[in-house]
Amino acid sequence: GLNEQVIDPNDIANISDSNKVDLTRALAFSKNDYFQQVGGQVGFLKMVNYARQLGLGERTGINMPNEFSGRVPTYKSAAGVNRMSSHGDNFEVTPLQLATLVSAMANGGKLVRPFVATTPPDRQRLNAVVRRQVAIDPNAWRHMVAGMVGAVNYGSGRKAHDPLQTVAGKTGTCIESGGWVGLFTSYAPLSNPRLAVVVIARGADARNHFPAAVAGRIYRELNGRFGDLKSLQLAKKKPTHSPGAEVEADDEESAELAANETTTKVTVGVKQAKGKVTRELGNRKVRSVLMLTRSHPVTPRTRDSSVSVPAQTRPRRVWEKLLQSN
């Protein structure tokens, strides 16, 4: 919408007399009606073209077997385009695709090829492979930052908040085969992006943004590993909005789904991958795939003794094999 000049980031869109939002609030609170309006104005062909530019519907090229290419819709009516633009109807995506997509946001539009390192970083030459430069105005990426940071600081993704760094993220909720699926796509730190963390969960908790909580724990446990983190004062304060907006943020994505269930598949694309880490969060086992978004030397950082950080319970060596720069 920004690239097609459908959205003026400084304007307020009138969704209804009682619901006026701009792009930042729409992203932060996941306002379905706003994105339906934008998608309808951009149109089906251009929406799908942008999806393909950002890597949906094709394999990422990771060095692992059995990667799934996902799926993009082939046709939508006018009303269908609106629903597709808010709920992702008839898309099939993998966590790796979402990770490369959000990495492109963080690195200036470069769609990279992820890989699993098979040797320690000091023994393997690690060079980023750029698949293509996404044809999107750099200002479009920047205009989305405040809303994605707002989602984590006070909106629908606030369970991912990390007080020691600024995380930019976006929540998603859909229904597949009658069951809830929740998604969270993110990168951090904002001032010097190093990680892209994507979490997808199934079940009743998925509706309540459980994926954001998982991502938040990953960020909080790793935030001391990437040098001097500077938590930018961007979207730190809650905007003025009506009472109960936080509850609205939790329910906004799922309200229409409950009334009109439309199948949206979210498929994990890599069946077997070396180096995946299984972590215990409560009574749930969560597999996390992490991918660095930019190439920077890792500088050890001394933790502030006044900040309480959970002790690391997993071997550091395993994480070091995963956290390779693209």
Side-chain angles (χ1 to χ4, degrees):
L2 287 165
N3 208 53
E4 294 295 322
Q5 299 182 344
V6 166
I7 300 173
D8 182 339
N10 300 313
D11 279 351
I12 292 178
N14 292 323
I15 294 177
S16 68
D17 292 339
S18 60
N19 190 6
K20 298 181 180 181
V21 299
D22 58 11
L23 175 62
T24 295
R25 178 169 171 150
L27 285 167
F29 291 101
S30 199
K31 307 296 286 186
N32 292 326
D33 289 346
Y34 181 93
F35 297 110
Q36 288 177 6
Q37 283 192 358
V38 172
Q41 293 181 59
V42 172
F44 174 76
L45 291 179
K46 287 184 177 179
M47 288 290 288
V48 169
N49 178 60
Y50 280 115
R52 291 189 180 279
Q53 281 194 54
L54 289 165
L56 303 187
E58 69 178 30
R59 297 178 181 180
T60 67
I62 192 170
N63 58 331
M64 298 302 297
N66 305 321
E67 184 183 10
F68 178 57
S69 61
R71 177 188 175 216
V72 297
T74 56
Y75 171 77
K76 286 288 181 182
S77 64
V81 174
N82 293 358
R83 279 276 310 181
M84 179 192 77
S85 302
S86 59
H87 292 78
D89 288 355
N90 300 118
F91 275 89
E92 293 180 24
V93 300
T94 70
L96 285 172
Q97 288 173 335
L98 295 181
T100 57
L101 186 157
V102 79
S103 296
M105 295 187 62
N107 66 26
K110 296 180 179 66
L111 194 68
V112 299
R113 179 187 302 167
F115 64 93
V116 176
T118 56
T119 60
D122 57 344
R123 300 177 187 175
Q124 179 174 336
R125 183 176 178 83
L126 306 177
N127 292 320
V129 176
V130 179
R131 292 152 62 191
R132 60 179 167 272
Q133 177 74 36
V134 180
I136 290 180
D137 185 344
N139 288 323
W141 304 120
R142 290 193 285 269
H143 283 309
M144 293 177 65
V145 169
M148 293 181 68
V149 172
V152 175
N153 286 346
Y154 56 79
S156 60
R158 61 190 179 278
K159 292 179 181 179
H161 182 256
D162 180 359
L164 297 186
Q165 63 183 323
T166 303
V167 178
K170 181 70 184 71
T171 58
T173 308
C174 62
I175 291 176
E176 179 184 10
S177 302
W180 291 100
V181 177
L183 308 91
F184 185 72
T185 305
S186 61
Y187 71 88
L190 182 65
S191 59
N192 182 22
R194 306 300 303 282
L195 286 176
V197 179
V198 175
V199 181
I200 297 177
R202 301 176 187 274
D205 285 347
R207 181 179 180 180
N208 298 320
H209 304 306
F210 175 72
V214 176
R217 177 163 177 175
I218 293 172
Y219 282 123
R220 289 187 292 272
E221 291 194 5
L222 294 178
N223 60 21
R225 304 288 299 280
F226 302 103
D228 185 18
L229 302 180
K230 297 179 180 179
S231 186
L232 301 185
Q233 297 301 312
L234 176 64
K236 283 293 182 183
K237 296 182 179 180
K238 295 182 182 180
T240 303
H241 51 74
S242 58
E246 283 80 4
V247 176
E248 176 190 21
D250 287 336
D251 296 339
E252 176 75 19
E253 292 170 325
S254 57
E256 293 182 32
L257 289 168
N260 182 16
E261 295 187 2
T262 301
T263 299
T264 303
K265 293 185 178 180
V266 182
T267 306
V268 176
V270 181
K271 296 180 180 178
Q272 297 178 347
K274 296 179 182 178
K276 283 191 175 179
V277 177
T278 301
R279 311 211 61 182
E280 191 74 30
L281 188 66
N283 61 353
R284 298 176 179 276
K285 289 185 177 180
V286 181
R287 290 188 306 174
S288 51
V289 178
L290 299 96
M291 181 178 63
L292 292 174
T293 58
R294 299 174 69 180
S295 178
H296 295 280
V298 177
T299 303
R301 171 178 176 269
T302 303
R303 291 185 183 275
D304 185 346
S305 59
S306 65
V307 179
S308 177
V309 180
Q312 184 160 333
T313 59
R314 302 291 294 180
R316 293 168 64 91
R317 185 177 179 184
V318 177
W319 284 106
E320 289 168 355
K321 289 184 178 181
L322 277 179
L323 303 175
Q324 306 305 320
S325 172
N326 284 320

